Amino acid sequence: MITHPKYIFVTGGVSSSLGKGIIAASLAKLLQAQGYRTTIQKLDPYINIDPGTLNPYEHGECYVTDDGAETDLDLGHYERFLNVPTSQANNVTTGRIYQSVIDKERRGEFLGKTVQVIPHITDEIKHRIQLLGNSGDYDIILTEIGGTVGDIESLPYIEAVRQLQWDLGENNALVIHLTLVPYLSAAGELKTKPTQHSVKTLMESGVQADILVCRTEHELSDSIKTKLARFCNVKKEAVIQSIDASTIYDVPNLMLEEGLDKVVLKQLDLESNQPDLGRWNEFLNRHKNPKGEVTIGLIGKYVELQDSYKSILEAFIHAGAENEVKVKVESIHSEYLFKDNVQEKLSHLDGVLVAPGFGERGIEGKIDAVKYVRENNIPFLGICLGMQMAVIEYSRNILGLDNANSTEMDESTPHPVIALMESQKDVVNKGGTMRLGSWDCNVETDTLAYKSYGRTEIKERHRHRFEFNNDYKAQIEASGLKATGYNPETGLVEIVEIPSHNWFVGVQYHPEYKSTVANPHPLFVAFVAAALKYKNNK
Ligand code: GLN
C-alpha cells in the first residue's frame, strides 16, 4: 500500500476506436497483479449527463454499475479485467460537470464571481478525477479521457490534466498517449508522422506525453521506435508497441512483454515486481484451447453492431472458457425473423439468447423465436426484454390470452402480462429514472437458477421500467411457467423457468454485467453447459 495515490492519464490521438479502454484495463491488470489497488475512470466529453439516453447505434451498450449508474461500455471492460466493481465516480461526462457547476452557481456558491470554463469547469473536472484517489481505497487511479486530442470538447479535460500534473508534483502523475502508426502498403512502410502531429497537438495544450502506446498492424522496428522517441520527447523505453491481438484478453500479456508496467512504475517512483497472472493465464489457456464448440443464437435488433451487446458477448467468452468450449455466437436480427423462417434460422442452434431492448421494433420476431425454442426443447436464456417476451409468448400460446403483451408495446392490450412498475407511474424524465443497479433476489430451491448459483440469495443489476404483472401470476404458474426468483421487498418476479423444458430461464435483470474473467457468471456458465449437453444428445 502506498500513502499518496498516483494518477495515470490515458489520452488518445490520430484516430478514435484505438482501444484506449482495453489498454487502460490491461495496464491496470498488470498493476493490480503486482499488488497495487487499482481502479479506472472514464471521462466522456459529450454533453449528455450519461449514456442512458443514447441509442446503442450512437455509443454501443449502456453498462450499469451496482450503484445504478448508466455508464460507458468501457467500465464493463474495467470490471471484467479487474474484477472490482465500478461506481458512479468511475464515469464522468461533460453534461454532469456542467450540471453540477450550474447547480452551484444557482445556490450562490461562487459568491458573485463570473463562472468560467477555467477555473470553474476545470476545477470540477479535477475534483471528480481525485474523488477516487481521495477515497483511500486505491493506490493508482487510471483516468481515460474519451475522444481524440484536438477535439474542441476535450480541451477542458486536457487543461485539467495539465494543472493536475503540477498540483500533484513529480512522480505522482503521468500521461500515456495512445496513437496509431499506420502502415501504407503502397509505400511498404509504417508512418510516424500522424503520431508526431498528435503529440504536438497535445503539447500545444501544455501536456507532454510521458509514454507512447502505438497501435500498429506490424512490428515497430528499433529505428521506428528511436525516431518516435526523438521526435516526441519520450525515452525510447517509453515507446510501447501495441500490435493487433486475436483477443482483447491477450493485451495484458502483450503490454507485459513490452514492459509498459515497468516504465509506468519507474516514472511513478514505485516498486515493480513480477505480476501474478496465474489465474488470468489459466483462463486464457482454456479460452484458446477449447475441447468443443457450441453455437448460440443471439436474437436482438442491434445485432449488426458488435458493441451493442458487448457484455453478453464477453460473458459467453468467460462461460465458454469455464466449460472448455468455444461459444460461437450467431447474431440473428429479430426484425427479419418470422413464423415461416424461424425453423430455418434456429433449428441448427444449440442454445438461444433473446436480448434486452426497448420499444416495439423487432419484438414479434423475438416472440416467434421463444415459441420455437420452447416447443423444440432448445436451451433458452431470456434477458430483461427477452424474459418479458417469454412471458408474453407463453401467455398467448399456452394460456390462450390473445394479444397478451407488455404495455410498453401496446397500452391497450387486453392482457397486460408485462406492465409498468408501480414505482414508474409518476416518472416523467427519461434519464436515470429506470429501476437501476443492484437489487436483491431470493431464488427458490430445486430450480435451474438455484442449480446455477448454488445459493438462494443473490444480487443482480437491473435496467427496466416494466415487470411481470403479478395479477397473472397464479394463472401463468398453473399452466407451467414458474416464477423462481423474487425481490424480497416488492415481490417483483425476477426469474421465470419452465421446469418441463430442457433448460428455459428468463431473468428480469442483466447477468451479463457481472461476468468477469475471474468470476464467469454462473447463469451463463450453466446455459453454455446446457447447450453443450443438448448438442451432445442431438
Ligand atoms: N424495455 C423493457 C423495460 O423497460 C426491457 C428493458 C431491458 O431489456 N433492459 O422493462
Side-chain angles (χ1 to χ4, degrees), residues 356-359 383-385 388 408 463-466 508 510:
F358 295 84
I383 298 184
C384 207
L385 185 71
Q388 298 176 351
E408 178 182 4
R463 182 171 187 251
H464 62 119
R465 294 185 202 280
F466 296 82
Q508 184 56 77
H510 292 260

Side-chain angles (χ1 to χ4, degrees), residues 102-155:
I102 292 169
D103 286 348
K104 273 189 201 160
E105 186 274 335
R106 291 290 82 183
R107 290 196 298 269
E109 288 182 25
F110 294 113
L111 304 173
K113 290 276 185 208
T114 308
V115 180
Q116 295 180 298
V117 172
I118 301 168
H120 302 100
I121 295 297
T122 45
D123 279 353
E124 183 65 28
I125 295 172
K126 284 159 67 183
H127 166 71
R128 300 278 178 146
I129 290 174
Q130 291 178 98
L131 269 182
L132 289 163
N134 293 340
S135 71
D137 295 337
Y138 305 105
D139 302 318
I140 304 176
I141 292 96
L142 282 95
T143 300
E144 175 193 346
I145 296 165
T148 307
V149 295
D151 294 349
I152 291 177
E153 50 196 18
S154 304
L155 284 174

Side-chain angles (χ1 to χ4, degrees), residues 448-493:
L448 290 174
Y450 181 74
K451 275 196 201 114
S452 313
Y453 287 95
R455 320 185 248 128
T456 53
E457 285 175 18
I458 59 168
K459 278 180 192 294
E460 289 284 4
R461 298 183 194 172
H462 293 249
R463 182 171 187 251
H464 62 119
R465 294 185 202 280
F466 296 82
E467 64 168 36
F468 183 108
N469 183 348
N470 275 327
D471 291 348
Y472 286 88
K473 194 169 141 238
Q475 202 180 343
I476 291 176
E477 286 210 302
S479 70
L481 179 80
K482 303 282 183 202
T484 59
Y486 302 88
N487 177 270
E489 281 111 62
T490 56
L492 289 184
V493 172

Side-chain angles (χ1 to χ4, degrees), residues 21-178:
I22 299 298
I23 292 294
S26 301
L27 171 59
K29 183 77 222 166
L30 294 178
L31 300 174
Q32 184 195 50
Q34 295 178 43
Y36 293 107
R37 299 170 308 157
T38 311
T39 189
I40 321 175
Q41 176 189 49
K42 172 92 190 265
L43 305 183
D44 275 312
Y46 52 70
I47 297 172
N48 304 63
I49 298 288
D50 60 44
T53 52
L54 290 176
N55 185 314
Y57 288 115
E58 290 282 314
H59 213 66
E61 165 188 281
C62 172
Y63 185 77
V64 178
T65 58
D66 276 335
D67 67 349
E70 295 181 282
T71 74
D72 186 81
L73 58 80
D74 274 346
L75 271 77
H77 291 308
Y78 309 162
E79 288 203 13
R80 288 187 281 272
F81 276 54
L82 298 183
N83 198 35
V84 174
T86 54
S87 70
Q88 184 67 71
N90 294 74
N91 195 192
V92 175
T93 65
T94 294
R96 211 173 270 286
I97 297 282
Y98 271 79
Q99 190 179 49
S100 57
V101 170
I102 292 169
D103 286 348
K104 273 189 201 160
E105 186 274 335
R106 291 290 82 183
R107 290 196 298 269
E109 288 182 25
F110 294 113
L111 304 173
K113 290 276 185 208
T114 308
V115 180
Q116 295 180 298
V117 172
I118 301 168
H120 302 100
I121 295 297
T122 45
D123 279 353
E124 183 65 28
I125 295 172
K126 284 159 67 183
H127 166 71
R128 300 278 178 146
I129 290 174
Q130 291 178 98
L131 269 182
L132 289 163
N134 293 340
S135 71
D137 295 337
Y138 305 105
D139 302 318
I140 304 176
I141 292 96
L142 282 95
T143 300
E144 175 193 346
I145 296 165
T148 307
V149 295
D151 294 349
I152 291 177
E153 50 196 18
S154 304
L155 284 174
Y157 292 95
I158 303 294
E159 170 61 13
V161 169
R162 187 192 69 76
Q163 292 182 21
L164 264 178
Q165 279 196 297
W166 281 103
D167 298 349
L168 293 164
E170 225 175 302
N171 300 128
N172 289 325
L174 64 82
V175 174
I176 297 178
H177 191 57
L178 178 64

Side-chain angles (χ1 to χ4, degrees), residues 152-370:
I152 291 177
E153 50 196 18
S154 304
L155 284 174
Y157 292 95
I158 303 294
E159 170 61 13
V161 169
R162 187 192 69 76
Q163 292 182 21
L164 264 178
Q165 279 196 297
W166 281 103
D167 298 349
L168 293 164
E170 225 175 302
N171 300 128
N172 289 325
L174 64 82
V175 174
I176 297 178
H177 191 57
L178 178 64
T179 77
L180 175 70
V181 178
Y183 180 77
L184 288 193
S185 45
E189 270 179 38
L190 286 164
K191 291 294 180 187
T192 64
K193 196 69 85 186
T195 299
Q196 295 180 42
H197 280 295
S198 165
V199 170
K200 201 168 139 195
T201 306
L202 198 54
M203 281 172 80
E204 281 166 12
S205 301
V207 174
Q208 166 66 52
D210 298 291
I211 296 169
L212 295 180
V213 175
C214 306
R215 279 299 304 273
T216 173
E217 290 171 0
H218 299 270
E219 296 277 337
L220 297 187
S221 65
D222 204 56
S223 67
I224 293 257
K225 284 191 174 180
T226 307
K227 190 171 172 187
L228 280 167
R230 185 170 300 147
F231 287 116
C232 300
N233 292 334
V234 297
K235 295 202 176 88
K236 194 171 152 206
E237 60 176 23
V239 179
I240 304 290
Q241 144 183 311
S242 168
I243 202 149
D244 288 358
S246 62
T247 155
I248 55 170
Y249 298 106
D250 270 339
V251 181
N253 282 310
L254 291 174
M255 291 301 102
L256 180 66
E257 278 165 32
E258 283 286 307
L260 175 61
D261 57 319
K262 276 208 181 69
V263 189
V264 162
L265 290 168
K266 190 166 150 197
Q267 294 202 19
L268 292 177
D269 201 17
L270 292 175
E271 201 183 308
S272 135
N273 309 304
Q274 187 57 30
D276 175 8
L277 289 175
R279 280 178 71 191
W280 183 271
N281 288 334
E282 271 168 37
F283 153 79
L284 258 186
N285 196 22
R286 282 196 305 272
H287 171 52
K288 291 190 167 179
N289 300 295
K291 300 200 172 105
E293 181 178 289
V294 290
T295 308
I296 307 263
L298 168 62
I299 302 185
K301 64 174 171 179
Y302 306 111
V303 287
E304 62 276 42
L305 223 165
Q306 283 272 316
D307 276 359
S308 312
Y309 301 112
K310 195 86 211 161
S311 295
I312 291 177
L313 298 176
E314 299 304 321
F316 274 129
I317 291 178
H318 311 152
E322 194 68 13
N323 281 287
E324 298 187 273
V325 291
K326 177 178 165 51
V327 179
K328 215 174 111 201
V329 177
E330 210 175 289
S331 298
I332 299 167
H333 205 303
S334 55
E335 252 189 310
Y336 309 120
L337 204 53
F338 308 102
K339 281 189 181 57
D340 55 5
N341 68 4
V342 68
Q343 165 147 19
E344 173 206 331
K345 297 218 173 186
L346 306 188
S347 61
H348 62 290
L349 298 171
D350 307 316
V352 165
L353 186 148
V354 175
F358 295 84
E360 211 184 340
R361 186 166 70 91
I363 67 146
E364 292 303 325
K366 288 186 172 176
I367 294 174
D368 290 339
V370 178

